[in-house]
Amino acid sequence: QVQPVESGGGLVQPGDSLRLSCAPVSGGTFSGSAVAWFRQAPGKEREFVAAIRWNGGMIRYADSVKDRSTISRDYAKNQVLLQMNALKPEDTAVYYCAVGRPIASTIRTESAYGHWGQGTQVTVSS
């Protein structure tokens, strides 16, 4: 497992789209791991957004984003992408990428991930 680094946050308007990227620090790989996105809004607890196994198989989404978001692997660029569409003000949060080796029942669980990025701010506002 390796330390992840996030990029792609910013200020967008309601209804816009945004793509977040998560890559391992230089020389690292996500092979054998699951990569997840969590987010934390001001005054709220951190919550699960989406997760994907790097080597194929399982993909999971939170109900709040599943119809508007796609998580994917880019093997060529060695990164995980989170495409979010139709953004809402309630999507405003710091988004964190996390790497771990959860079992199926814990893929949405924060404690199943041992390596976390510093986070990237997403602000949805008009």
Side-chain angles (χ1 to χ4, degrees), residues 58-98:
M58 189 174 296
I59 292 176
R60 293 292 184 268
Y61 296 98
D63 288 344
S64 59
V65 304
K66 65 181 180 179
D67 295 329
R68 305 183 286 122
S69 301
T70 302
I71 189 170
S72 61
R73 314 164 199 85
D74 186 331
Y75 290 123
K77 295 184 177 180
N78 196 31
Q79 61 187 12
V80 169
L81 306 174
L82 179 66
Q83 176 73 36
M84 300 186 70
N85 304 317
L87 284 162
K88 307 174 183 179
E90 50 264 45
D91 293 317
T92 295
V94 177
Y95 284 71
Y96 297 90
C97 180

Side-chain angles (χ1 to χ4, degrees), residues 19-30:
R19 189 175 70 179
L20 304 180
S21 300
C22 176
V25 295
S26 181
T29 176
F30 290 144

Side-chain angles (χ1 to χ4, degrees), residues 11-71:
L11 172 63
V12 297
Q13 295 187 343
D16 283 355
S17 297
L18 196 66
R19 189 175 70 179
L20 304 180
S21 300
C22 176
V25 295
S26 181
T29 176
F30 290 144
S31 182
S33 299
V35 179
W37 288 95
F38 290 79
R39 68 185 181 185
Q40 187 167 22
K44 295 187 177 181
E45 294 186 352
R46 191 154 56 185
E47 64 176 3
F48 172 79
V49 176
I52 189 168
R53 290 199 187 279
W54 180 255
N55 295 100
M58 189 174 296
I59 292 176
R60 293 292 184 268
Y61 296 98
D63 288 344
S64 59
V65 304
K66 65 181 180 179
D67 295 329
R68 305 183 286 122
S69 301
T70 302
I71 189 170

